[in-house]
Amino acid sequence: MTNTEYLNKILQQEHLDRDGVEMKALKDERDKVAGIINEAFEDSSPSIVYGGSKAKHTMIKSSYDLDIPVYFKHDDTSCGKTLKEIYENIKDA
């Protein structure tokens, strides 16, 4: 077995099926979190997207998490005026 064949075998074993149980659970959790944030900041209409390895399509079975960046318009202060306030307000929601 060549090094390339070996690495491809490892990558196949670590592949997360886009229609698999793990991905469905991540989508469901993202939808739940997005609903909470949209309800808490409904006047702001935040943009909520996938981030990290999910967005880059580099997730692996043995180690993954869900990064969900939330974006507000640059002049919107209803979510907070500082990064600390924004972080705390999102966490509290």
Side-chain angles (χ1 to χ4, degrees):
M1 178 181 294
T2 68
N3 288 341
T4 301
E5 290 169 336
Y6 173 74
L7 290 174
N8 282 331
K9 182 178 178 184
I10 298 286
L11 288 173
Q12 286 174 344
Q13 292 171 349
E14 289 293 326
H15 176 74
L16 282 165
D17 184 9
R18 95 173 22 173
D19 297 322
V21 175
E22 295 98 340
M23 295 301 267
K24 182 181 179 338
L26 286 175
K27 181 189 179 311
D28 290 347
E29 188 66 18
R30 183 245 181 241
D31 291 347
K32 177 182 165 188
V33 170
I36 292 167
I37 293 170
N38 280 320
E39 184 176 325
F41 301 99
E42 64 186 339
D43 294 337
S44 297
S45 299
S47 175
I48 304 168
V49 298
Y50 286 110
S53 61
K54 171 75 170 103
K56 295 183 287 185
H57 307 287
T58 58
M59 293 178 76
I60 58 171
K61 277 186 184 181
S62 60
S63 179
Y64 65 89
D65 63 356
L66 182 59
D67 300 303
I68 309 173
V70 179
Y71 298 97
F72 294 90
K73 293 181 180 172
H74 74 282
D75 57 350
D76 182 355
T77 58
S78 64
C79 53
K81 292 183 180 179
T82 66
L83 286 176
K84 182 178 180 179
E85 287 176 357
I86 294 168
Y87 173 83
E88 292 294 331
N89 290 333
I90 292 287
K91 183 178 78 165
D92 290 345

